[in-house]
Amino acid sequence: MLTEYFPILLFILVGLAFGLVPMALGKLLAPNRPDPEKLSPYECGFEAFEDARMKFDVRYYLVAILFILFDLEIAFLFPWAVVLPDIGFFGYAAMMVFLAILIVGFVYEWKKGALEWE
């Protein structure tokens, strides 16, 4: 029974090797000659003029979350469209309920002004 999992283990090991071996070779073979100029902080070629930990407007995060939400909606639509002939009317109705809930959420966000950028 464990022999069935050998290809998975081999796949994981090869993936780790592809990720770790180049990093190890780069660390071992790359020249390492630090000087004050290389170690100095920079931002677009000049000294940083603000703190890197400044606060961002919450709208950046809101837009990112909304993008992920509707991107995942599309990710669910593709496999559903492929198997639609097999799942019949029940699958169609279930997806319409799913889309209706998402549309209601989208309209709510629109009415609340979450999509407005001032």
Side-chain angles (χ1 to χ4, degrees):
M1 177 159 166
L2 292 177
T3 58
E4 295 175 8
Y5 292 106
F6 181 71
I8 297 171
L9 177 65
L10 186 63
F11 184 76
I12 291 171
L13 291 175
V14 169
L16 284 173
F18 268 98
L20 296 176
V21 169
M23 287 194 308
L25 285 174
K27 187 73 172 170
L28 293 172
L29 301 177
N32 186 14
R33 289 179 233 119
D35 61 29
E37 190 66 31
K38 285 183 183 178
L39 298 176
S40 66
Y42 66 94
E43 181 178 321
C44 300
F46 49 85
E47 291 291 325
F49 51 87
E50 285 189 28
D51 185 20
R53 293 171 192 85
M54 65 183 181
K55 293 183 179 180
F56 283 97
D57 193 356
V58 71
R59 286 178 288 189
Y60 290 113
Y61 303 109
L62 182 62
V63 168
I65 289 171
L66 293 176
F67 172 76
I68 291 171
L69 175 75
F70 291 108
D71 190 45
L72 286 176
E73 172 188 350
I74 298 301
F76 282 127
L77 283 174
F78 283 116
W80 168 78
V82 170
V83 297
L84 183 59
D86 298 332
I87 57 178
F89 181 75
F90 179 75
Y92 177 78
M95 184 54 78
M96 291 305 112
V97 169
F98 175 71
L99 290 175
I101 292 170
L102 285 173
I103 289 171
V104 167
F106 180 69
V107 170
Y108 175 77
E109 291 166 359
W110 196 344
K111 294 293 182 187
K112 283 293 197 179
L115 303 174
E116 298 295 326
W117 196 264
E118 298 172 3

